[in-house]
Amino acid sequence: MPVSQPNVASVTEVGPVVVGAGVCGLAVAGELAERGLAPLVIERRGGAGRETSTRNSGVIHAGLYYPRGSAKARLCVRGNRLLYAFCQRAGVEHRRLGKLVVATSIEQVSELEQLADRARDNGAATLELVDGAVARRLEPRVRAEAALVSASTGVVDAHELVKALEARARHAGAEVCYRCVLIAAEPAGDGWLLTLRMPDGQLEALVTPLVVNAAGLDADRVARQLGEARWQLHWCRGDYFAAPRSAAAGVSRLIYPLPSRHGLGVHATLDLGGRLLLGPDTTYIAREPEQPDVDAAKAASFRAAGARYLPHLADVELSPDSWGIRPKLQASGEPVADFVIEPGRASLHLVGIESPGLTASLAIAEEVGGRLSSSGLI
Ligand SMILES: Cc1cc2nc3c(=O)[nH]c(=O)nc-3n(C[C@H](O)[C@H](O)[C@H](O)COP(=O)(O)OP(=O)(O)OC[C@H]3O[C@@H](n4cnc5c(N)ncnc54)[C@H](O)[C@@H]3O)c2cc1C
């Protein structure tokens, strides 16, 4: 095992290192800590969940969309149950609002029926396929020929969730280091010698038996640092617009169109403050850390998308709101890829954790714990 590195003052031996303090990294740290290990989470930002984990729709998905037998389907369905239970226990604000996926034309009804079949195959709980009249009784403002009603879909305050996952991990014995960037890794014995840039700008070296890569948008780069060049992520941005308060009146569930090629379609969500948000759209972008604000000129296309299933939105003024970036394994036009949860040398990699990664985070952590344990790494 190397004992020193150029420009590094000293080498410290630590337990497992988790790269990334998003929902997945924090959930994994909690899982490892509760198994009696003392993980160290390193996070380049000044706090937890500053990237994708708080830049999303905050929807607790039911598992409707994903191919049968996929990790996305299995971990979403399991994660949905684990997440509701965790939010209840930890006092994280959430609401089981329910959701309607709507067919807005007769031609779309058979597509909706196929979605309902897939959702049932996936084991998504409490589903009902209803006709347009029933859909309008449930949601009087909606335009629908038919709808798939999912009662187990809900919303969660993602900021509170991140805080609660961090608190749980720390309470169980994990440490979290902010403004701490993984710079380089080299094999050391059976584990790794990691070089980190610390908050004061100094380099520090750690020796660890195991690295869990939960680096979100840069998980492919971190994997390469750990000797795995198998994955290439493509960034796909999604923007949101907010509707005025009056437009949310009379809407009590989340309303989704049928899914589109790269995403779930511009949908209408209600946040816990009762705001109605439209989005996200899907735009593949260059990998630039600095991103522009939401372009106000796109309001008309969001209004048109929303008005297809909530006609009253045709007349409302929308304001640019937030944006987030999906770490996609598939380039534009390629078939949708599954979550990657794969071992490497003294490491485990979470790559391509796009939606439903927020919902699935606790199930992903459970799976990581199980895999590491069965492979003798913990
Ligand atoms: C527009 C949009 C809408 C979405 N809507 C939903 C939804 O409604 N429901 C749902 O279930 N999912 C949704 N998702 C998906 C969900 O947000 C993500 O799957 C989830 O947040 C991924 O969490 P994570 O911990 O893997 O990654 P992240 O939150 O990205 O965390 C990774 C962390 O690693 C850190 N990091 C990276 N490289 C390094 C390094 N070298 N050194 C130190 N730290 C590093 C980053 O700073 C970051 O904080 C959505 C995503 C987007 C983009």
Side-chain angles (χ1 to χ4, degrees):
M1 178 185 301
V3 288
S4 67
Q5 273 214 315
N7 307 320
V8 171
S10 64
V11 178
T12 313
E13 292 201 18
V14 294
V17 169
V18 179
V19 185
V23 283
C24 292
L26 292 170
V28 166
E31 176 79 25
L32 298 183
E34 286 181 358
R35 286 170 180 254
L37 300 155
L40 169 68
V41 183
I42 59 169
E43 166 56 54
R44 63 186 171 191
R45 304 274 175 184
R50 300 266 171 99
E51 295 199 354
T52 313
S53 289
T54 52
R55 293 185 157 275
N56 53 55
S57 304
V59 173
I60 304 177
H61 286 297
L64 311 184
Y65 302 99
Y66 318 105
R68 184 182 313 164
S70 64
K72 281 183 178 171
R74 183 169 49 82
L75 296 170
C76 184
V77 169
R78 171 90 182 132
N80 174 289
R81 288 173 198 143
L82 292 177
L83 187 53
Y84 278 120
F86 178 77
C87 289
Q88 203 103 38
R89 265 198 322 275
V92 175
E93 202 183 352
H94 66 289
R95 214 161 294 154
R96 205 184 284 254
L97 292 173
K99 143 175 168 178
L100 261 59
V101 185
V102 294
T104 51
S105 66
I106 295 288
E107 296 74 53
Q108 285 188 344
V109 173
S110 62
E111 210 182 316
L112 187 72
E113 287 167 349
Q114 283 167 25
L115 179 66
D117 287 344
R118 187 186 310 173
R120 287 194 196 97
D121 282 350
N122 286 347
T126 46
L127 296 171
E128 200 183 352
L129 202 50
V130 301
D131 64 20
V134 174
R136 276 186 300 281
R137 258 205 312 280
L138 295 172
E139 287 294 333
R141 302 196 92 159
V142 98
R143 175 198 290 154
E145 293 294 335
L148 177 62
V149 185
S150 160
S152 63
T153 300
V155 287
V156 61
D157 182 323
H159 292 269
E160 276 192 25
L161 174 62
V162 163
K163 271 197 217 148
L165 288 171
E166 180 181 355
R168 170 215 178 201
R170 283 189 191 271
H171 182 72
E175 268 188 67
V176 188
C177 176
Y178 292 119
R179 294 202 181 82
C180 186
V181 190
L182 177 65
I183 299 291
E186 61 179 82
D190 291 336
W192 291 98
L193 175 70
L194 305 180
T195 305
L196 311 180
R197 189 177 329 103
M198 302 304 284
D200 59 5
Q202 297 293 309
L203 296 185
E204 192 165 301
L206 301 180
V207 171
T208 174
L210 170 69
V211 180
V212 178
N213 168 11
L217 290 169
D218 277 339
D220 56 343
R221 289 184 175 157
V222 168
R224 275 198 288 283
Q225 289 174 315
L226 294 163
E228 298 291 345
R230 285 182 272 172
W231 305 291
Q232 167 72 50
L233 286 172
H234 307 275
W235 288 12
C236 182
R237 178 170 153 149
D239 289 348
Y240 294 88
F241 279 79
R245 295 246 154 220
S246 55
V251 181
S252 57
R253 293 172 182 77
L254 314 181
I255 314 289
Y256 280 57
L258 281 160
S260 65
R261 194 171 167 77
H262 296 303
L264 301 185
V266 166
H267 43 265
T269 54
L270 295 163
D271 69 12
L272 288 155
R275 287 190 324 150
L276 190 148
L277 290 162
L278 283 174
D281 60 354
T282 49
T283 311
Y284 276 87
I285 56 167
R287 286 178 72 148
E288 300 292 347
E290 294 305 317
Q291 290 289 320
D293 289 341
V294 174
D295 177 3
K298 293 206 293 188
S301 72
F302 276 71
R303 196 163 35 239
R308 273 185 215 121
Y309 48 85
L310 286 172
H312 72 287
L313 296 181
D315 302 321
V316 305
E317 204 53 44
L318 296 179
S319 14
D321 204 80
S322 52
W323 52 265
I325 303 174
R326 308 166 181 89
K328 284 191 182 285
L329 277 160
Q330 67 275 14
S332 178
E334 290 178 359
V336 175
D338 204 359
F339 288 159
V340 163
I341 304 175
E342 283 191 20
R345 182 192 170 280
S347 57
L348 198 130
H349 302 273
L350 305 180
V351 192
I353 312 296
E354 55 170 327
S355 191
L358 189 78
T359 308
S361 51
L362 288 161
I364 289 173
E366 199 180 62
E367 173 120 344
V368 167
R371 294 239 199 135
L372 292 174
S373 165
S374 62
S375 60
L377 279 165
I378 58 170

